[in-house]
Amino acid sequence: MATIDSLFEILVSSGGSDLHLSQGQYPKVRVHGAVTAIADQPILTEEIMHDLLSGICEPAAFEKFLETGDLDFAYSMNEESRFRCNYLKQNNGLGAVFRLIPTKILTIEELNVPEVIKQFAHMRSGLVLVTGPTGSGKSTTLAAIIDYINTNMNKHIVTIEEPIEFIHNSKKSIITQREVPVQTPNFSDGLRATLREDADIVLVGEMRDLETISLALTAAETGLLVFGTLHTNNARKTVDRIIDVFPADQQGQVRTMLSASLRGVVAQLLMKRSDKPGRAAVNEILFSNTAVSAIIREGATQKLYDVIIGGKAEGMQFMDDAIWEKLQQGIISPEEAYMKAIDKTRFKKFLPQELSHLGDSAGENPMERS
């Protein structure tokens, strides 16, 4: 049986993003979005899984995993290869997923995301949300923004992550990176502490609960520039998610807080390329202005689309327009555009004849944009 490092080497050499190990199955890698089994590897037995997983994990942490069934940490194989590790228990026994974290932090230009997002780095305070589904490159885009600040500004930046993914070395800025639960028990405790740490900017790796979101809003109101992530696909869903986390009797107050502190949303999707192997990022970008603030206070988030579409001159971008641009450039296929679009009727006419039935079963409704 291969060592876990040799499986990592296969992942890296194949240009993959994730290694999947699941008891009772073959080892598998995700390359350009597709999951395939690694050739010439045996089925993973309980003994093999135990040996592989315990080999790169602190003994105490591994024992805790065997008790609780979940564990997150980061592992560096060498200077070039670092992994975000998630251990889990599943129906057939032990499982694990390893995400390759690039050790080189790419610039905003190298990522080929809209350069207008640099504007968020120059803001003095408020809340900026980078959103998208798991594996959409949120962390990579955020790392590029933080690196831009680190390279060009004299700030104190605190990151709270689970686990720490990209390692930032202090340049012009001072960077303090704290890992949950190693250096701080949880996101909310870490965020609360930043208010006493003379921070200018804080990155919250995941805004997953009411307390963390509430503290992020408070920190943004008190003068910090707060970057956070959510698993939402577009600006409207992002605003709705923040508000819906709170009990009904608090939502009016939260709308007022969010309308004052939100500076913008960068939503990101990764789309499979049709012109060459790989994936391309597409972004929806919302900058807050007086119209956006009023919409959030009113709770009329469906109106955000009109603001985004009308805000092109300010650098705003609607997700379907970004998808349309990639389709026009021949970078993605009509099928990929259709599956990821909000208003599917816009893209249905470009589908090949044999796939034109997709809209009939997808329950498409161009007005249903939530």
Side-chain angles (χ1 to χ4, degrees), residues 30-42:
R30 184 184 292 276
V31 181
H32 305 321
V35 178
T36 54
I38 301 174
D40 305 321
Q41 293 295 324

Side-chain angles (χ1 to χ4, degrees), residues 37-108:
I38 301 174
D40 305 321
Q41 293 295 324
I43 287 177
L44 298 166
T45 63
E46 182 177 1
E47 183 182 1
I48 291 172
M49 285 294 291
H50 194 283
D51 290 345
L52 289 173
L53 301 190
S54 62
I56 58 167
C57 182
E58 292 287 334
F62 190 71
E63 286 304 315
K64 187 178 179 184
F65 157 65
L66 293 177
E67 288 174 25
T68 63
D70 285 292
L71 178 67
D72 287 292
F73 65 100
Y75 168 70
S76 295
M77 180 172 70
N78 51 43
E79 285 187 8
E80 289 80 39
S81 302
R82 182 173 163 82
F83 300 88
R84 187 177 73 199
C85 313
N86 173 250
Y87 288 6
L88 60 131
K89 286 187 176 178
Q90 43 93 14
N91 194 37
N92 293 322
L94 303 179
V97 180
F98 303 90
R99 164 70 50 83
L100 178 62
I101 306 167
T103 49
K104 180 181 184 298
I105 298 171
L106 298 177
T107 65
I108 289 167

